[in-house]
Amino acid sequence: MGKIFNVTGSCDPELHYMVDLSERLSQIRVMVDYGQYFCINRARQYGKTTLLTALSDYLKEDYQIISMDFQTMSSSAFENEQSFVVSFSAELLDTVSEFPDDVEESLLAFAERTARVISLQALFKVLKIWFVKTDKKIVLIIDEVDTATNNQIFIDFLAQLRACYLRRKKIPAFHSVILAGVYDVRNIKVKIRPEQEHKLNSPWNIAAKFCVDMSFSVNDITGMLEDYEEDNHTGMDIPLIANLIYNYTSGYPYLVSSLCKLMDEEVSRENTRFADKRRAWTREGFLEAVKKLLYEQSPLFDSLTGKINDYAKLKNMIYRLLFQGQNIVYNPDEPVIQMAKMFGLVKDENSSVVIANRIFETRLYNMFLTSFREQDEEIYTEATRQKNQFIKNGHLNMRLILEKFVQYFDEIYGDREQKFYEEDGRRYFMLYLRPIINGEGNYYIESRTRNNERTDMIIDYQGEQFIIEMKLWRGDAYHTRGEEQLFDYLEYYHLEKGYMLSFNFNKKKEIGVKEFKIRGKILIEAVV
């Protein structure tokens, strides 16, 4: 059996195609060698478990590694101090193959609840005996540590670790401690008073800053594809595919592996229009994989949309980014921004908050458009009813789409005020477009042009690309600049035809669609 792309659980280089982790492991090794305690906080399915597994193997020759996963401990383990010590001791005994006799005897007594005293203090006294007697320095790694972050027992455990760290010149301690999870345990809001009051506690302010980039670069993806190509001989253009994958995912590990897996296992099936791996690993095959991923159910997407629906302020911020093009200054102290980044929804780009990648962005657009559909069923239904006339022999008639949208939009919304056009116009076009390309095409918004006046939408449909510049009318001079910008964009994408959709709140506007040329390029403009 050959290797495959893996999107579930930890990756194994013997079984799975992977990026080379050696540079990241080397960087973390430096932190461990210095005896640092630190947290690895990244969004879900960002490769934390794979990295920790590889790190354990990387360090095991020189260190005694304790690698634990708090998800394997039941909720009852965190009910009280005694239960935690019992469960933690049992996990230690399962993880470490050999202890000094007296240490093992004490841990067994904890695990079997036969010890005279079962407490965190008693546990750490036993651990200190182990620290003295072991030949190797001990590194503690705990994955999914945020499973317990809303629990006072866990806070007490962190406090014990912190106390050992601060006194380790006098009292033996873990050489290095690594905690991994989505939530940052350095600052945890914990319940510490019976009357349900909360305060900000910092039981882990000893943690060193973790600056290792865990996203995949173009070079990382290239190396993984080279390994795949050596085994499969598809003849793919590796630089092209690697850059496409990065452009759509921004290196989010799960998304990178998912797209590769889809091309390898689903797009290449005999009953598809690609039929084999040689045709699947092309630009067209990649876009097919993107389309499949955008409509795929997965725990990651369910988690992201769940978080947005759970937090009204987060949902409002995402809406403003997507549909109103607002420039939100990146402020790491702003709770909503901090939350969005922690969940992997946004990133800091030139001191502004932007959606983390194209895949998430399109998925979020689809999520919002689905909710809009419930409010504005009429425009969505109209597009669905008219769908067949826009597609002939597999080709999308974008001009006709604009003509019909202008006509329908003016009938329903033509008398609205300026604020409506600024906040809602573009979302109505996207709501109109979605059922037309649904299932056969996909789209994304070019981040370099997303603002409150101009947005460029790139549509991929059956191998063809369309660029539509959606803009608010700001007078003839601004309009001319928009035409020039669209021309430059067509040059970049090697296209001969582009489209403009202008939302004009001037009462004397002339609605409709017209076609004109600019330096050999055809521009089709619709005004509503």
Side-chain angles (χ1 to χ4, degrees):
M1 290 285 292
K3 292 195 290 187
I4 62 171
F5 292 101
N6 181 47
V7 295
T8 55
S10 178
C11 292
D12 182 338
E14 297 297 319
L15 302 174
H16 307 127
Y17 292 108
M18 294 175 55
V19 304
D20 183 0
L21 298 176
S22 57
E23 178 58 31
R24 294 170 178 83
L25 295 174
S26 178
Q27 293 177 52
I28 299 173
R29 170 68 185 253
V30 172
M31 299 181 71
V32 172
D33 287 345
Y34 275 113
Q36 293 181 329
Y37 287 30
F38 56 95
C39 305
I40 301 178
N41 299 118
R42 293 295 185 274
R44 297 209 177 280
Q45 295 187 275
Y46 214 92
K48 297 184 293 296
T49 301
T50 295
L51 184 67
L52 293 178
T53 301
L55 182 64
S56 295
D57 289 339
Y58 188 71
L59 297 174
K60 67 183 180 182
E61 292 299 320
D62 299 308
Y63 294 98
Q64 171 71 63
I65 306 299
I66 306 173
S67 183
M68 304 176 68
D69 184 340
F70 268 9
Q71 277 193 330
T72 64
M73 295 169 62
S74 67
S75 58
S76 63
F78 301 94
E79 287 181 355
N80 54 57
E81 185 174 351
Q82 186 180 65
S83 296
F84 179 82
V85 173
V86 169
S87 296
F88 189 87
S89 299
E91 288 294 316
L92 272 181
L93 290 165
D94 286 343
T95 303
V96 180
S97 59
E98 188 174 343
F99 289 99
D101 290 342
D102 54 345
V103 173
E104 184 171 9
E105 183 180 338
S106 296
L107 290 175
L108 280 169
F110 291 146
E112 295 172 358
R113 298 179 182 266
T114 59
R116 186 165 55 87
V117 177
I118 301 178
S119 66
L120 282 170
Q121 186 177 13
L123 171 64
F124 273 82
K125 283 184 178 180
V126 172
L127 293 178
K128 288 169 189 175
I129 296 172
W130 183 31
F131 299 151
V132 171
K133 292 188 175 183
T134 186
D135 295 330
K136 292 182 178 179
K137 295 176 179 177
I138 301 173
V139 176
L140 174 63
I141 301 174
I142 304 178
D143 196 9
E144 302 292 351
V145 72
D146 47 353
T147 301
T149 54
N150 195 32
N151 191 287
Q152 182 63 52
I153 302 304
F154 174 69
I155 302 303
D156 294 342
F157 174 70
L158 287 184
Q160 288 282 349
L161 287 173
R162 180 178 181 273
C164 288
Y165 175 86
L166 294 175
R167 295 181 294 172
R168 61 185 179 164
K169 286 188 177 181
K170 298 180 179 180
I171 301 174
F174 289 110
H175 176 72
S176 178
V177 175
I178 305 169
L179 307 180
V182 174
Y183 292 83
D184 190 344
V185 301
R186 286 175 295 181
N187 295 291
I188 309 169
K189 284 185 177 181
V190 293
K191 187 194 305 181
I192 56 176
R193 295 180 185 171
E195 62 270 24
Q196 306 294 314
E197 291 182 12
H198 289 67
K199 75 175 184 180
L200 197 65
N201 196 8
S202 299
W204 203 242
N205 55 13
I206 56 172
K209 189 175 182 180
F210 183 76
C211 298
V212 178
D213 186 359
M214 290 176 59
S215 64
F216 295 164
S217 67
V218 172
N219 287 337
D220 289 329
I221 299 169
T222 297
M224 181 171 63
L225 294 181
E226 287 173 346
D227 290 343
Y228 175 85
E229 184 64 11
E230 188 174 338
D231 293 338
N232 293 274
H233 310 292
T234 69
M236 79 167 86
D237 183 338
I238 291 178
L240 170 68
I241 300 300
N243 276 281
L244 281 171
I245 291 172
Y246 182 80
N247 288 340
Y248 274 74
T249 66
S250 296
Y252 197 111
Y254 171 81
L255 300 179
V256 171
S257 296
S258 291
L259 288 172
C260 290
K261 190 173 184 68
L262 286 166
M263 282 185 282
D264 180 50
E265 298 179 13
E266 294 193 26
V267 176
S268 63
R269 286 178 181 169
E270 289 184 5
N271 61 346
T272 70
R273 63 190 176 97
F274 297 94
D276 58 42
K277 292 185 179 182
R278 182 173 295 274
R279 280 181 277 184
W281 287 91
T282 60
R283 183 181 180 280
E284 291 72 22
F286 168 79
L287 293 176
E288 181 71 12
V290 169
K291 183 176 70 177
K292 288 178 177 293
L293 182 58
L294 287 172
Y295 290 94
E296 189 174 75
Q297 288 296 115
S298 77
L300 174 62
F301 293 140
D302 290 344
S303 174
L304 292 179
T305 55
K307 293 293 188 294
I308 290 173
N309 288 320
D310 286 343
Y311 299 101
K313 290 184 178 180
L314 177 61
K315 188 172 187 177
N316 178 262
M317 185 184 76
I318 298 298
Y319 175 84
R320 288 185 287 130
L321 284 172
L322 293 175
F323 291 98
Q324 296 178 7
Q326 289 190 10
N327 180 34
I328 299 176
V329 176
Y330 182 79
N331 177 5
D333 297 321
E334 169 59 46
V336 176
I337 294 175
Q338 188 181 61
M339 179 188 299
K341 187 174 183 183
M342 179 176 68
F343 294 146
L345 286 163
V346 303
K347 60 184 177 181
D348 173 12
E349 188 172 279
N350 300 321
S351 299
S352 293
V353 178
V354 298
I355 303 298
N357 56 69
R358 288 181 185 174
I359 298 294
F360 282 1
E361 180 179 74
T362 305
R363 190 83 180 206
L364 292 171
Y365 272 119
N366 289 343
M367 184 196 80
F368 277 100
L369 290 173
T370 298
S371 65
F372 295 153
R373 177 186 171 186
E374 296 173 359
Q375 303 168 26
D376 303 286
E377 182 71 33
E378 190 176 0
I379 194 168
Y380 189 94
T381 301
E382 183 67 14
T384 303
R385 185 181 65 80
Q386 297 176 350
K387 176 178 179 177
N388 290 339
Q389 66 179 303
F390 301 128
I391 302 165
K392 298 296 182 184
N393 299 320
H395 295 280
L396 196 64
N397 189 335
M398 187 56 66
R399 174 168 183 152
L400 184 59
I401 290 174
L402 291 175
E403 289 174 348
K404 292 295 184 180
F405 175 74
V406 168
Q407 174 187 334
Y408 196 73
F409 188 90
D410 187 63
E411 289 175 2
I412 301 178
Y413 310 113
D415 60 349
R416 299 294 180 95
E417 298 298 324
Q418 174 178 345
K419 186 175 178 60
F420 170 82
Y421 287 96
E422 291 178 342
E423 295 189 358
D424 295 306
R426 286 174 290 197
R427 105 171 138 87
Y428 277 110
F429 177 68
M430 296 177 74
L431 187 63
Y432 186 79
L433 178 68
R434 189 185 174 199
I436 297 172
I437 67 170
N438 190 33
E440 298 296 333
N442 55 65
Y443 61 87
Y444 66 88
I445 304 299
E446 176 51 57
S447 61
R448 288 173 292 180
T449 65
R450 186 197 298 105
N451 56 51
N452 62 355
E453 293 186 339
R454 174 177 175 231
T455 297
D456 285 335
M457 175 187 286
I458 315 297
I459 298 171
D460 293 306
Y461 188 88
Q462 299 286 3
E464 290 185 277
Q465 273 195 326
F466 304 86
I467 297 178
I468 304 177
E469 179 185 292
M470 296 182 286
K471 58 191 286 291
L472 300 175
W473 183 272
R474 299 297 190 196
D476 291 335
Y478 174 78
H479 185 66
T480 301
R481 290 197 303 273
E483 294 172 358
E484 291 292 331
Q485 289 169 331
L486 180 56
F487 173 87
D488 292 341
Y489 221 44
L490 293 174
E491 284 281 281
Y492 176 79
Y493 276 90
H494 308 292
L495 295 173
E496 299 303 315
K497 184 183 295 185
Y499 303 85
M500 300 177 70
L501 176 58
S502 299
F503 293 92
N504 190 338
F505 48 84
N506 190 323
K507 296 298 183 183
K508 297 180 180 180
K509 67 187 176 186
E510 182 180 343
I511 68 168
V513 178
K514 60 183 179 180
E515 179 178 314
F516 56 95
K517 287 189 175 182
I518 175 170
R519 285 183 278 160
K521 304 287 188 185
I522 297 175
L523 300 185
I524 297 174
E525 181 184 16
V527 178
V528 294

